[in-house]
Amino acid sequence: MTKKVKSAKHVSEFESIFKCPMCEASMKVFELKSFICSNNHTFDFTKQGYLNLTTHPMKTKYSKDLFKARRKLIAEDTFFEPLIQAFAEMIKRQADIKRESLFILDTECGEGSHLANICDKVGSDFENTVTGVGIDISKEGILAAAKNYTNQIWTVADLANTPFKDKRFDVILNILSPSNYAEFNRLLRADGFVIKVVPRSGYLKEIREALFDKSAKQDYSNIDTIDRFNENLPIVDRLRVQYTRELNNLSMQSLVQMTPLTWIANEKRIKSFLERDSVEITVNLEILIGGKIS
């Protein structure tokens, strides 16, 4: 079975969660080739096994090389393993694991490693189905996700106009990425919740100190972000995740490749940082769980 056919079969089982991004009509899988709404707006499944449900071209700075580096760091080097474990434990604590199924949406999912790992860990404690859906505006990210993880649904989609019907998701993941609280509230089921990850002041401090002079780039405050989250999705649980990992030079290159911090850094400083054989890197994050506003 090709990835295209496998993806079409998988999506056909969950057609009811989708709506057309152009007219909001219901959608159906047609001949395991296309996804068509009742008004005949048509979106084809790609040979790699994903759907592009955007209505216009989307520009992004995220490249194929960035997602390759991200996958190496997350999937191969397990750089974020404590974070993934914390995610799984918080979902198990908040969700009713007796329900027949759990739908998890990862917004700005990138190359899919976080969602795939979380679904695997949470799925082991659910008697029935855990369905993961990942969206991102980057076609390169979704292509990489579909290539490496065939058990989830991957869609190029705009967070400002998600192709899903109201109240379809139990959990929405928002990991180190922008939020759209109006969409989050629309998409969540009545007892659903959003898990947002924001960096704390010590996050990747070794890179900040190496690449920037004393400036705002060396320091970070998430107070405004947390306040805005709490205003839109009242916080019901929170957890700080802090640890350090020693990275060899190859993993350091992956980290430098994937972090937007290097986009505005001096090339000489980046080169100097990468001349080290290894480095101890701090991960310092805050996980917030917010409940839907009634």
Side-chain angles (χ1 to χ4, degrees), residues 248-283:
N248 60 27
N249 186 266
L250 191 59
S251 296
M252 289 167 58
Q253 292 179 45
S254 295
L255 182 59
V256 165
Q257 181 79 47
M258 68 168 274
T259 176
L261 284 172
T262 59
W263 294 353
I264 56 173
N266 182 281
E267 288 292 335
K268 289 184 179 179
R269 291 200 170 197
I270 295 174
K271 183 178 179 181
S272 177
F273 178 75
L274 290 176
E275 287 175 350
R276 307 180 193 181
D277 292 330
S278 64
V279 67
E280 196 84 7
I281 294 292
T282 299
V283 176

Side-chain angles (χ1 to χ4, degrees), residues 40-53:
N40 290 321
H41 295 124
T42 302
F43 303 85
D44 293 330
F45 288 90
T46 66
K47 65 180 181 180
Q48 295 89 355
Y50 68 87
L51 281 164
N52 188 338
L53 296 179

Side-chain angles (χ1 to χ4, degrees), residues 88-104 122-123 125-130 169-171 189-193 195 289:
E89 291 173 0
M90 294 180 84
I91 291 173
K92 293 169 191 174
R93 189 160 66 240
Q94 292 294 330
D96 178 6
I97 64 174
K98 295 180 181 179
R99 69 181 73 192
E100 292 184 358
S101 62
L102 189 74
F103 282 81
I104 302 177
V122 175
D125 281 356
F126 277 75
E127 295 181 0
N128 293 295
T129 308
V130 175
F169 293 96
D170 303 287
V171 183
R189 288 176 173 162
D191 59 348
F193 52 92
I195 306 183
I289 291 189

Side-chain angles (χ1 to χ4, degrees), residues 44-224:
D44 293 330
F45 288 90
T46 66
K47 65 180 181 180
Q48 295 89 355
Y50 68 87
L51 281 164
N52 188 338
L53 296 179
T54 55
T55 57
H56 58 276
M58 308 292 293
K59 292 183 178 180
T60 173
K61 292 182 178 180
Y62 295 91
S63 66
K64 180 179 179 179
D65 288 341
L66 181 148
F67 290 116
K68 183 178 179 181
R70 174 174 154 155
R71 173 171 164 74
K72 182 188 183 306
L73 204 64
I74 298 173
E76 297 177 22
D77 297 342
T78 64
F79 183 68
F80 288 107
E81 181 61 27
L83 176 65
I84 299 300
Q85 186 61 43
F87 259 105
E89 291 173 0
M90 294 180 84
I91 291 173
K92 293 169 191 174
R93 189 160 66 240
Q94 292 294 330
D96 178 6
I97 64 174
K98 295 180 181 179
R99 69 181 73 192
E100 292 184 358
S101 62
L102 189 74
F103 282 81
I104 302 177
L105 173 67
D106 188 0
T107 60
E108 305 298 331
C109 67
E111 43 65 64
S113 294
H114 283 323
L115 178 62
N117 291 337
I118 290 168
C119 286
D120 285 346
K121 287 188 179 295
V122 175
S124 64
D125 281 356
F126 277 75
E127 295 181 0
N128 293 295
T129 308
V130 175
T131 301
V133 181
I135 64 171
D136 201 292
I137 61 170
S138 170
K139 189 183 297 184
E140 291 290 352
I142 293 297
L143 192 156
K147 176 182 178 181
N148 292 296
Y149 306 106
T150 58
N151 294 325
Q152 283 75 38
I153 296 171
W154 304 110
T155 303
V156 182
D158 184 0
L159 185 57
N161 180 32
T162 60
F164 307 111
K165 294 179 180 177
D166 296 356
K167 303 176 183 179
R168 300 291 161 155
F169 293 96
D170 303 287
V171 183
I172 294 177
L173 308 178
N174 187 222
I175 305 172
L176 299 171
S177 62
S179 303
N180 186 317
Y181 295 115
E183 277 293 88
F184 292 170
N185 271 294
R186 182 182 73 79
L187 295 171
L188 281 178
R189 288 176 173 162
D191 59 348
F193 52 92
V194 173
I195 306 183
K196 182 173 180 65
V197 178
V198 295
R200 292 184 57 78
S201 58
Y203 183 60
L204 305 184
K205 64 179 182 179
E206 295 82 3
I207 291 183
R208 295 176 186 274
E209 291 169 358
L211 300 187
F212 302 102
D213 292 320
K214 291 291 183 181
S215 67
K217 285 298 177 184
Q218 280 201 9
D219 303 310
Y220 179 84
S221 172
N222 60 15
I223 294 176
D224 290 343

